[in-house]
Amino acid sequence: MNSSHRGLLFIPAGFFLLMLLLLGKALFWNQREIPSALLNRPLPEFSKPTLDNPNQTITAAGLRGDILIMNVWATWCPPCHAEHPHLVRISENEPDLVFVGVNYKDDAEAAGEFINTRGNPFAYILTDVDGKLGIELGVRGAPETFVVDREGFIRFKYEGAIDENVWQEKFVPVISQLN
Amino acid sequence: MIPEFGNFAIILALGLSLMLSVVPMLGAARRQLQWMQTARTLTTGVFVFMLAAFIALAWSFLQDDFSVAYIARNSNTALPTYYKLAAVWGAHEGSLLLWVLILSLWGFAVSVFSKDLPIDMVSRVLSVMGMVEVGFIGFLLFTSNPFERSLLNIPTEGADLNPLLQDFGLTVHPPFLYMGYVGFSVAFAFAIAALLSGRLDAAWSRWSRPWTNAAWSFLTIGIALGSWWAYYELGWGGWWFWDPVENVSFMPWLVGTALIHSLAVTEKRGVFKSWTVLLAIGAFSLSLLGAFIVRSGVITSVHAFAVDPERGLVLLCLLLLIIGGSLLLYALRAPVVAGNSVYGEQSRELYLLLNNIILVVSMAMILLGTLYPLIHEAIYGEANKVSVGPPYFNTLFVPLMGGMSFLLGIAVFTRWKRTPVNHLISSLRPLLLLSIVLGLALPLILQAEFKISVVVALALALWITATLLMDIRNKVRNKASFMNGLLSLGRAYWGMQLAHFGLAVIICGICLTSQYSVEDDVRMQPGDEHEIEEYVFKFEGVREIVGPNYDAQAATITVTKSGEPYLTLQPEKRRYRARGDVQTEADIDVGLFRDLFTALGDPRGDDAWVVRIHVKPFVFWIWLGAFFMATGGVLAILDKRYRRERIRKNSRLDNSSVVSNTIAINEAGNVSTKSFDSNETRGLVEERV
């Protein structure tokens, strides 16, 4: 009887070890760059309504031909609020790039309000209410930003808020290669 | 030279902590008094040298010594002196130095306030703290040294402190938070010492209680400060985001709260010993886990320090040694035999157990939500990622806390061992009805929109308040006079009531502000007006101002209330010169019943700006409630029994054992402690029972 109780006491240690293994594994995933599985792969196929007009849908194929900056954002995400004004300025300075917003698991009304009052850096805003597109893109959290080339291949991904410095250091070199 | 002194002080502290982790522990095992007596001296030594290192870093900051790489990255000659000091803990290395300093401070506090503890207990406790110190001082010295110099290319100017941190709330937030996190190391050390010596007795739990309360109170204030800072500094009026780093500070708090309650049961009734030990290990382990998550960058978050996998790996090894080691010790040494006291269905023990289960389940669901993106990725591969947002946390956490608040009301009324059910029902039914009726009536009286969630939350808050008032009345009823009765209740009792009342206040604050806030983002040109309820906000325009290390655009917004001039708010948008970072400074009119929140958004051409205007009812109550909770914790520490214990021991009161025996018999015979009238005897009753 006692020995079986003693066994139960090992449960916390077991859980802890499992968690430690997980954290150890996670430590070596390179957080801020694209996972190798998606790098240089085509953008997943999707067909999503836009935020301002639910009847208009945008497909992955329809976006082909331009270099896309796909930004995954949501009003519930604090860093997205911090990122937004930077994104507005960057998009104003980069007329050749097509900025596509993916409004991730968000409330459409709040998102519309957010864009109306804080400026719209995007050519299109896709709504991803159920988060399916986010999952296919391998989104870990918001904000995340993808660079997609003219043929529709994902070339770069950045996790976290963008500002002008990040843009210059991380995005500009990738984009100049694509040109 | 000063940075070298600081570096040398850390090395000395490491040496002393190495000795501390070995010598007194061996002394306790071999009963060598002289070895055990080194514990206090070594603990003091570690603290003194860590303090010296901290002062050396602070001094170098004040001197603008940019040859120190850490200072060059986080300070600037134009930074106001106050923020130069705050910049000491503004990034990873310095904040780790503060972390270790606070760890050694808690050790020092234990060595000072443990004069009555048996020497072998003191040596084991301090020695365990020494082991933790070795790990973290080593980590500081070898991977994160704040005194590292870059002598080849000394910058003439520093890069400045992150502007988000240039704020009073955030300068005091980390010290409080660390006092809380690290404070749980004391309860942890007591638990490990008790496991090692095999003495999990009432003395162990009695000694752990004030230390746990102290750490918990600090952590409560620390979390509240962080939330308050987010509210007014981040500029979008939110106060909690279920961000991973918020979650990792909240988890030790939940387990610490469970520990406070479980320790009470273990001390008074001698049950749940293994569980209490596990919670003591758990609270500190979660604090360490938090340090790992924040400093290793495994999870993306607004709070993350610079990411460095190598540092993360070292921290992970420390976690394995400290937490893994203590959980293994727990599995091998924790008592499996249940305490021999019994408790019935409607006993206080049972309700405190339920409280513990709810708190630990809440912690587990937050842990799962925080780690879930990693778990998912580990199972389904790196291409398959998910993220967990506030809906998950709110859906699970709110009902759990609702259930806990309801049980809290009953628990306050129950007695140890067994409570007559009839008595419970007859005294609680009217209170329950009253809470529900008032919960329904209040929104109507205040002419607010009817929402069922508001009614439930208000009813729960009223229920907690009503039961605690009734309990005070019951306790005072048999006393000679009302005042006499109030004064006879111990500080620990008032502490409990105040902390529980704090919970009721927080429930009101959270519910009312999230249901009734008006949050408008409007485009305004000079002269434009915006009306919310009885307030009219008039945008007068934006002017340029020059701060010490930033330039700012400040808006002037005049507010009239019901037509009368009320006040002027001046939210700013600052651009910090050194880094070019832009930072929003909200201007808030704080009130007991509502806050007027204004923040300046982006310019929209033609002198137009986006202006964020929020009216947030009762938001202040969130922090007010947290303050009540923390004050309750402090009151409990100040309870007479802890001091009387000392006085009694010092005066060698020989008949104390006789008195306590009598009481033990009385307790077994269910005689209420009320029969002991003199205060002195009551004190003894509380200590012994």
Side-chain angles (χ1 to χ4, degrees):
Chain A
M1 188 64 191
N2 262 357
S3 61
S4 69
H5 279 180
R6 176 67 64 195
L8 291 178
L9 294 180
F10 281 91
I11 292 175
F15 264 114
F16 170 72
L17 277 181
L18 270 178
M19 192 175 76
L20 213 62
L21 281 175
L22 178 75
L23 291 174
K25 192 166 185 291
L27 205 55
F28 291 95
W29 289 326
N30 204 340
Q31 294 284 311
R32 304 232 164 218
E33 282 161 29
I34 190 165
S36 52
L38 263 176
L39 186 63
N40 299 330
R41 288 277 197 79
L43 200 58
E45 281 303 326
F46 59 81
S47 172
K48 288 282 177 187
T50 61
L51 185 63
D52 48 344
N53 182 1
N55 297 321
Q56 181 192 12
T57 54
I58 300 277
T59 60
L63 289 170
R64 223 158 278 162
D66 286 306
I67 295 178
L68 306 180
I69 306 297
M70 279 186 89
N71 176 259
V72 181
W73 64 281
T75 54
W76 50 259
C77 132
C80 302
H81 287 251
E83 177 187 62
H84 197 81
H86 298 285
L87 216 52
V88 172
R89 276 193 291 273
I90 293 167
S91 71
E92 280 166 6
N93 296 332
E94 301 278 359
D96 297 336
L97 304 175
V98 175
F99 283 70
V100 180
V102 177
N103 184 229
Y104 181 56
K105 291 187 184 169
D106 208 352
D107 174 51
E109 202 176 308
E113 172 90 15
F114 180 87
I115 288 295
N116 285 340
T117 52
R118 311 201 53 189
N120 185 359
F122 304 115
Y124 313 97
I125 301 172
L126 316 175
T127 50
D128 186 28
V129 179
D130 54 8
K132 283 251 171 63
L133 177 58
I135 288 174
E136 282 177 40
L137 285 170
V139 169
R140 191 201 291 266
E144 287 191 7
T145 308
F146 296 79
V147 179
V148 182
D149 70 9
R150 291 193 172 87
E151 284 73 43
F153 284 78
I154 297 175
R155 295 301 184 191
F156 182 68
K157 173 179 135 181
Y158 185 81
E159 288 184 9
I162 296 177
D163 58 20
E164 279 82 350
N165 289 338
V166 172
W167 180 260
Q168 281 303 328
E169 279 173 29
K170 303 277 181 185
F171 286 80
V172 169
V174 177
I175 293 163
S176 60
Q177 273 193 343
L178 297 180
N179 283 322
Chain B
M1 270 314 275
I2 298 288
E4 275 66 38
F5 279 129
N7 201 20
F8 190 57
I10 299 182
I11 295 171
L12 285 176
L14 179 64
L16 291 177
S17 63
L18 269 169
M19 287 164 70
L20 175 61
S21 62
V22 177
V23 177
M25 190 60 91
L26 277 182
R30 297 186 173 184
R31 295 170 200 282
Q32 295 274 352
L33 187 60
Q34 278 179 321
W35 292 13
M36 290 194 268
Q37 278 167 341
T38 59
R40 286 202 173 93
T41 321
L42 288 169
T43 302
T44 311
V46 175
F47 171 63
V48 167
F49 284 112
M50 286 315 300
L51 187 64
F54 188 81
I55 292 172
L57 187 62
W59 183 257
S60 307
F61 260 97
L62 290 179
Q63 300 292 312
D64 295 318
D65 187 348
F66 297 128
S67 69
V68 178
Y70 178 72
I71 298 176
R73 280 199 307 277
N74 293 291
S75 188
N76 185 288
T77 49
L79 192 66
T81 307
Y82 171 73
Y83 291 125
K84 279 183 185 164
L85 284 176
V88 173
W89 55 86
H92 168 72
E93 290 87 346
S95 70
L96 189 67
L97 177 64
L98 178 68
W99 203 98
V100 179
L101 171 68
I102 287 175
L103 179 62
S104 67
L105 172 66
W106 279 107
F108 180 63
V110 173
S111 80
V112 170
F113 295 109
S114 64
K115 297 278 187 272
D116 316 319
L117 232 65
I119 182 73
D120 62 325
M121 183 79 161
V122 177
S123 347
R124 284 198 184 94
V125 168
L126 292 179
S127 201
V128 170
M129 295 193 71
M131 292 175 193
V132 180
E133 283 166 359
V134 170
F136 280 88
I137 297 176
F139 179 60
L140 176 73
L141 194 61
F142 298 118
T143 72
S144 318
N145 194 331
F147 292 108
E148 210 159 275
R149 298 255 209 178
S150 52
L151 285 171
L152 280 182
N153 249 325
I154 299 177
T156 50
E157 186 54 281
D160 205 2
L161 176 66
N162 182 347
L164 274 178
L165 309 184
Q166 297 186 27
D167 166 77
F168 174 75
L170 210 73
T171 54
V172 290
H173 162 63
F176 272 96
L177 203 59
Y178 293 174
M179 282 297 284
Y181 276 157
V182 180
F184 284 132
S185 67
V186 180
F188 169 82
F190 270 100
I192 298 296
L195 281 177
L196 284 171
S197 64
R199 286 209 309 261
L200 287 161
D201 47 15
W204 153 70
S205 43
R206 184 167 62 243
W207 278 104
S208 299
R209 286 184 77 181
W211 295 103
T212 310
N213 279 345
W216 180 87
S217 299
F218 275 114
L219 189 57
T220 307
I221 293 287
I223 295 174
L225 279 173
S227 146
W228 179 55
W229 166 81
Y231 170 65
Y232 72 79
E233 183 74 11
L234 295 187
W236 59 91
W239 43 269
W240 191 262
F241 305 103
W242 296 110
D243 177 270
V245 171
E246 287 171 339
N247 293 348
V248 298
S249 72
F250 197 38
M251 288 189 284
W253 187 88
L254 287 169
V255 173
T257 313
L259 176 61
I260 286 176
H261 292 90
S262 172
L263 274 170
V265 187
T266 306
E267 185 196 344
K268 303 257 180 190
R269 304 284 304 133
V271 288
F272 304 164
K273 281 179 185 168
S274 300
W275 176 244
T276 307
V277 172
L278 185 60
L279 288 178
I281 296 174
F284 186 55
S285 300
L286 286 166
S287 301
L288 293 181
L289 179 73
F292 169 78
I293 286 181
V294 180
R295 291 168 195 276
S296 69
V298 284
I299 292 172
T300 330
S301 153
V302 270
H303 297 68
F305 288 100
V307 178
D308 182 345
E310 200 168 302
R311 254 179 218 160
L313 192 65
V314 177
L315 264 181
L316 207 63
C317 293
L318 271 179
L319 254 59
L320 178 69
L321 287 176
I322 298 172
I323 307 176
S326 47
L327 287 177
L328 194 65
L329 182 72
Y330 170 78
L332 296 172
R333 298 294 298 266
V336 277
V337 185
N340 51 7
S341 69
V342 283
Y343 51 94
E345 269 175 40
Q346 300 295 329
S347 62
R348 182 168 278 192
E349 289 92 320
L350 180 84
Y351 279 94
L352 288 176
L353 182 65
L354 288 173
N355 143 299
N356 267 242
I357 291 171
I358 294 180
L359 285 168
V360 170
V361 166
S362 308
M363 181 280 291
M365 79 91 193
I366 295 176
L367 183 65
L368 183 67
T370 309
L371 295 182
Y372 188 72
L374 299 179
I375 298 171
H376 189 91
E377 196 167 336
I379 297 173
Y380 297 103
E382 294 191 14
N384 217 323
K385 295 177 178 181
V386 291
S387 67
V388 179
Y392 163 83
F393 292 105
N394 289 337
T395 314
L396 289 169
F397 189 71
V398 172
L400 279 168
M401 285 300 113
M404 196 185 75
S405 308
F406 177 69
L407 292 177
L408 192 161
I410 307 175
V412 170
F413 265 81
T414 53
R415 301 175 188 160
W416 297 111
K417 295 177 104 171
R418 200 172 60 81
T419 319
V421 179
N422 294 340
H423 165 75
L424 264 188
I425 294 176
S426 65
S427 46
L428 289 177
R429 194 160 42 191
L431 295 182
L432 185 62
L433 282 174
L434 180 76
S435 314
I436 294 173
V437 169
L438 274 179
L440 280 165
L442 267 182
L444 297 176
I445 295 169
L446 299 170
Q447 295 180 326
E449 187 189 344
F450 183 86
K451 291 186 178 180
I452 190 70
S453 59
V454 174
V455 172
V456 172
L458 283 180
L460 281 171
L462 287 163
W463 163 248
I464 294 174
T465 316
T467 49
L468 75 83
L469 288 176
M470 182 63 103
D471 192 54
I472 293 173
R473 200 192 74 114
N474 287 348
K475 290 245 181 342
V476 170
R477 199 164 39 189
N478 296 333
K479 292 289 176 328
S481 75
F482 184 70
M483 275 315 291
N484 202 332
L486 287 185
L487 291 173
S488 73
L489 298 170
R491 288 195 185 126
Y493 177 78
W494 285 116
M496 174 191 86
Q497 295 289 38
L498 187 59
H500 287 166
F501 181 62
L503 178 67
V505 172
I506 289 181
I507 291 174
C508 285
I510 289 178
C511 172
L512 294 174
T513 193
S514 51
Q515 295 299 324
Y516 291 134
S517 283
V518 180
E519 306 185 336
D520 288 343
D521 287 2
V522 277
R523 181 180 185 275
M524 290 182 118
Q525 278 177 304
D528 282 357
E529 289 184 347
H530 184 75
E531 191 177 342
I532 299 178
E533 291 159 9
E534 71 263 42
Y535 301 99
V536 176
F537 298 81
K538 186 176 183 196
F539 183 67
E540 307 279 4
V542 169
R543 64 201 162 82
E544 305 283 331
I545 55 174
V546 178
N549 56 341
Y550 60 85
D551 302 307
Q553 288 145 325
T556 306
I557 297 169
T558 50
V559 186
T560 49
K561 182 182 179 183
S562 316
E564 302 287 316
Y566 184 58
L567 83 166
T568 305
L569 292 170
Q570 299 201 318
E572 294 176 16
K573 207 168 180 68
R574 294 181 181 169
R575 176 175 283 272
Y576 285 83
R577 286 190 283 269
R579 294 183 178 199
D581 287 339
V582 176
Q583 179 58 44
T584 313
E585 285 283 318
D587 197 6
I588 305 169
D589 175 48
V590 178
L592 187 56
F593 297 108
R594 57 97 198 92
D595 276 14
L596 303 180
F597 177 102
T598 57
L600 192 57
D602 291 312
R604 279 282 165 271
D606 302 334
D607 290 339
W609 289 75
V610 174
V611 184
R612 181 159 299 166
I613 300 174
H614 296 181
V615 174
K616 302 179 89 71
F618 291 91
V619 67
F620 184 66
W621 287 36
I622 297 171
W623 301 294
L624 188 66
F627 177 74
F628 285 160
M629 282 187 169
T631 312
V634 174
L635 267 183
I637 303 168
L638 298 178
D639 195 79
K640 280 195 188 123
R641 70 177 125 150
Y642 297 114
R643 275 176 298 149
R644 182 166 299 130
E645 175 81 356
R646 207 168 301 149
I647 296 161
R648 189 164 59 84
K649 283 236 168 110
N650 288 349
S651 60
R652 299 255 180 269
L653 208 77
D654 286 334
N655 60 351
S656 67
S657 60
V658 181
V659 174
S660 59
N661 279 340
T662 330
I663 292 157
I665 293 160
N666 281 337
E667 176 66 23
N670 260 340
V671 173
S672 159
T673 49
K674 274 177 196 155
S675 58
F676 295 88
D677 250 342
S678 101
N679 262 337
E680 185 60 38
T681 333
R682 270 186 61 83
L684 290 172
V685 171
E686 281 172 6
E687 283 154 25
R688 284 288 163 170
V689 174

